[in-house]
Amino acid sequence: MKTLTLTNGFSLNISGQVAESVTEAPVPSTVALMPGWIPHVKPRLLVKEGDAVNGGAPLFEDKRNPAVTYPSPGGGVVSRIAYGPRRRIDEVVITLDAEEGWERFEPVSPQRIASTDADTLRHMLLKGGAWPLLRELPFRDHADPSSRPAHIIVTLGWAGGHLALPALALEGEEAAFQNGLAILKRFCPSVHVITPAHSGKLPESILKSVTAHIRGGYPAGDPGHYLYRIRKDPAENHSWYIEGQDLVALARFVTEGRFYPKRVVAVGGNGATVREHIRTRVGAPVSTLDPQKERRRRIGGTPFAGLFLPATGYMNFFDKGLTLLPVGDEEDLFGFLRAGYARPSQSRTFLSVFNKKPLNLDCGMHGEGRPCINCSRCARVCPVGILPQYTMKCMVAGEVEEALAHGLLDCIECGLCSYVCPSKIELLDTLKTAKAQYRKERDG
């Protein structure tokens, strides 16, 4: 096992860390998939309101490749399909039956995985809706079924933020994890397992499979950063990755013949009244993880790059964390007298640089947007060493080739550039949009 150090990035000492314990969430009455919140996907519904569906049955397919479908997280009745702006499909809600039915497929025993060809496994994963668990760099879309990856990276989590600790999330799943690695090796012999420094005490069998230990602050453990460090050729940019819990779900689908919906989600943040790991399922209602009604932001994923979730919404397909933060729009009366002693910031001009206590993060802008001042703060924290400010300006000017030369496709979408920008420029949104636009134009 080798050790890599994230030299840039950012270690933010924020409050609201999650307790290292797991509780069981009650079985929800409804679950949902949120197609409009899954990047790049162009959903085409395969169900309508009132339809009875089994768990694992396809709810929608991707118009770009109809072979790729997304499965129902449970068995019941399609009780609501909610649409957003421009008829975007926001939610497909399933009211669960007391006795859930599940789609069944011919399983592959663990002993047969090594002798099963990749095409058979690919067909099985596509048919059962487990294929989207595999994602592809640099665009972080679901993997292209026709592609052959240079590497497959299994990440056991990211440093920083409030995401499920691998040691807790994978407890008792050691056999499934090893079966998952065997499945991945049928698609690509170059499989890497990476883990951040703070991942808890991993089970010995999983620890032996770890390829690289990533030291440093957020986003240590991100597959895009790791690929940036190990690649030797631009062709290696097109590699796959999968999170540890999703690998367990993929393996259990193959060996048991039914979609595995359970996940461990970390609920944290200084806006949370209870901070703990909760064992729930894909598409669980946010209210089962955060029953409080206070006015606050609910973020699926990390505080820097996650998506806002409505209090009445559902967890996204890939979420392993729920961060709860104050809105941050209250006036800070005479705040200038305190000079930012209790305010988290990357800037050393704030007195919080001397405050060693965990600091409360909120979602406020703390200032108004301004033009870029070329301070290079974004470049100093970028974990892959690109120049986000110049890449952003190239895209605004319509110079796509210049943006690519500045490293647009190396961007791992961590969100640190937006966080540290003193001009309040939404660099992350600009770069993500630019990547998606470039891909759309490239693929026609």
Side-chain angles (χ1 to χ4, degrees), residues 69 79 83 92 96 101 107 167 189 261 263 362 373 378 388 411 416 436:
T69 61
S79 55
Y83 293 90
V92 183
L96 299 179
R263 300 291 188 275
D362 62 41
I373 59 174
C378 55
C411 173
L416 283 179

Side-chain angles (χ1 to χ4, degrees), residues 39-57:
H40 307 292
V41 169
K42 295 182 177 179
R44 179 188 289 118
L45 284 173
L46 300 175
V47 295
K48 61 182 183 297
E49 290 186 2
D51 284 355
V53 294
N54 286 331

Side-chain angles (χ1 to χ4, degrees), residues 343-378:
R343 180 176 295 172
S345 174
Q346 186 260 354
S347 173
R348 297 182 65 84
T349 60
F350 279 28
L351 289 181
S352 58
V353 70
F354 302 110
N355 189 349
K356 304 305 179 185
K357 296 180 180 179
L359 303 175
N360 290 335
L361 189 66
D362 62 41
C363 299
M365 291 282 288
H366 300 292
E368 296 180 351
R370 296 180 296 171
C372 175
I373 59 174
N374 289 328
C375 64
S376 294
R377 290 186 184 278
C378 55

Side-chain angles (χ1 to χ4, degrees), residues 1 178 181 193 202-211:
M1 179 177 67
Q178 296 301 326
L181 293 180
V193 181
L202 290 168
E204 186 65 26
S205 61
I206 294 179
L207 190 60
K208 289 180 179 178
S209 303
V210 173
T211 307

Side-chain angles (χ1 to χ4, degrees), residues 41-46 59-63 66 68-70:
V41 169
K42 295 182 177 179
R44 179 188 289 118
L45 284 173
L46 300 175
L59 294 183
F60 62 90
E61 65 186 16
D62 190 347
K63 293 179 184 178
V68 178
T69 61
Y70 284 74

